[in-house]
Amino acid sequence: MKGRDAPMRLAVGFGARVRGLLGAKRSKGVVMLAPCNDVHTFGMAELIDIAFLDEQGRVLESYRAVGPRRRIRCRKAVAVLERFSVNDPPWFSAGERVEMTRKDGAGK
């Protein structure tokens, strides 16, 4: 996953999932919303990248540079990855698999 290794913040509570990246400072990090299959960009000033994941971490749908006032849904998804849209690192494509590891190596 060259170029896609980035810090990830988990948003699992209702309030954290609703906020997602809203009001967050622009960074290279990724937010995982779980459980989630429906996202919005109302109130967002920045473009964001979105990837919907299934239970095995497989990317079902992927979107780049999603603008404000949009709502996107993937009924089969159980989680969503969001990040501020950037040109450099590649973003996920449908069919790829996302894996997470703890930086300290614990929990393997």
Side-chain angles (χ1 to χ4, degrees):
M1 283 203 245
K2 183 181 173 190
R4 288 179 282 196
D5 295 330
M8 183 179 295
R9 177 174 59 90
L10 297 176
V12 294
F14 177 76
R17 291 192 323 261
V18 169
R19 276 189 309 277
L21 291 173
L22 185 63
K25 292 182 180 178
R26 187 173 178 88
S27 70
K28 292 184 179 182
V30 175
V31 175
M32 175 183 268
L33 313 169
C36 184
N37 66 1
D38 188 340
V39 297
H40 69 85
T41 59
F42 294 94
M44 294 293 297
E46 303 273 347
L47 301 177
I48 64 171
D49 299 332
I50 299 168
F52 290 94
L53 307 177
D54 69 8
E55 290 177 343
Q56 288 75 44
R58 193 175 26 249
V59 177
L60 299 171
E61 295 179 18
S62 179
Y63 300 87
R64 295 282 320 254
V66 177
R69 298 180 308 279
R70 296 273 319 271
R71 181 177 177 202
I72 302 173
R73 181 178 204 177
C74 178
R75 292 183 190 270
K76 294 181 180 180
V78 298
V80 176
L81 299 178
E82 293 182 342
R83 73 169 182 184
F84 289 107
S85 192
V86 294
N87 293 327
D88 269 350
W91 189 235
F92 301 101
S93 298
E96 289 185 303
R97 188 175 170 134
V98 176
E99 294 182 6
M100 294 184 296
T101 58
R102 286 178 55 164
K103 187 174 181 176
D104 62 7
K108 288 186 178 181

